[in-house]
Amino acid sequence: MLEVIALKCERGGVPILDNIYFEVPAGQALILRGPNGVGKTTLLRTLAGLQPSQAGIVSYPEDEGAYASHADGIKTALTVTENLKFWADVHGTTMSDDILETFDLGDLRDRLGGTLSAGQKRRLGLARLGVIGRKVLFLDEPTVSLDRFSVKLFADWLQNTHLAAGGIAVIATHIDLGLDAPELDLTPFKAADDASGGSDEAFL
């Protein structure tokens, strides 16, 4: 289970979100909603441990979280297969050829990452999630650059493989993925304009 209690998030020392509570049990997803700039990315990065919180508790199994942003993390000089094997090796897992078919990458298995289109790179970047073995995924606009067919491929994998196996996903998206998942609008959690600042860390 992912549990968030009284969480306060900041960006570059400026309070962004305040007093967030929610739980996501195993096998379920949570969709983050809200206008641009409300703090969806900040929340995801805080949940993933990539930046400090100002206060509150984030609890989920140790070493089981993974954050995926707009960056695809593609090694341009490696083939599609070599890219996935690289990430499997980093995380101590194995790569099954099934993941290539799941993300419609079978015909591209020997193509260099640097020669892929934006949508193909995105599918390869998402396919990484299927080889790293992490149960709690924090996904920031995962369907950027994807066509409708590819969005469905990703949503099907998320629902029928990751969540079906007891995984968890927290997803910031403006796209309807067709998931049976609750939504959390972050607008009510926006920090007050006069909220006191936190640390002076840089936002990356």
Side-chain angles (χ1 to χ4, degrees):
M1 173 179 287
L2 166 65
E3 186 175 20
V4 176
I5 302 173
L7 186 65
K8 296 184 178 182
C9 301
E10 59 187 23
R11 181 171 59 230
V14 178
I16 301 296
L17 297 168
D18 189 12
N19 207 33
I20 301 174
Y21 287 79
F22 64 80
E23 293 180 352
V24 186
Q28 291 194 16
L30 177 68
I31 307 297
L32 302 180
R33 300 294 193 192
N36 292 335
V38 75
K40 297 185 293 294
T41 294
T42 297
L43 175 58
L44 288 171
R45 287 174 56 85
T46 303
L47 295 176
L50 298 177
Q51 63 187 68
S53 63
Q54 190 175 357
I57 296 172
V58 176
S59 176
Y60 55 88
E62 187 176 3
D63 296 328
E64 286 291 354
Y67 172 76
S69 66
H70 301 168
D72 296 313
I74 303 302
K75 306 295 184 183
T76 58
L78 299 182
T79 67
V80 166
T81 301
E82 289 169 341
N83 265 280
L84 292 176
K85 286 184 176 178
F86 169 82
W87 287 109
D89 289 345
V90 167
H91 290 273
T93 64
T94 58
M95 191 210 89
S96 168
D97 282 350
D98 291 346
I99 199 67
L100 293 168
E101 302 305 324
T102 296
F103 286 90
D104 194 28
L105 295 168
D107 292 341
L108 302 172
R109 66 176 65 234
D110 296 322
R111 284 271 300 274
L112 293 177
T115 69
L116 301 176
S117 71
Q120 291 167 342
K121 288 178 180 178
R122 170 78 345 189
R123 294 206 311 274
L124 177 54
L126 292 174
R128 286 184 305 154
L129 302 175
V131 303
I132 62 175
R134 297 297 179 94
K135 290 189 175 297
V136 186
L137 302 180
F138 304 106
L139 307 177
D140 193 357
E141 297 291 352
T143 58
V144 169
S145 300
L146 293 185
D147 57 24
R148 293 172 67 180
F149 173 74
S150 299
V151 169
K152 187 176 187 306
L153 287 180
F154 168 67
D156 287 348
W157 171 82
L158 192 63
Q159 183 74 67
N160 300 323
T161 301
H162 180 70
L163 298 179
I168 290 170
V170 181
I171 311 165
T173 180
H174 296 285
I175 302 296
D176 182 5
L177 297 175
L179 301 176
D180 181 16
E183 298 184 358
L184 178 65
D185 185 353
L186 295 183
T187 306
F189 302 99
K190 185 177 179 181
D193 292 339
D194 60 351
S196 57
S199 69
D200 60 356
E201 102 286 350
F203 176 70
L204 302 178

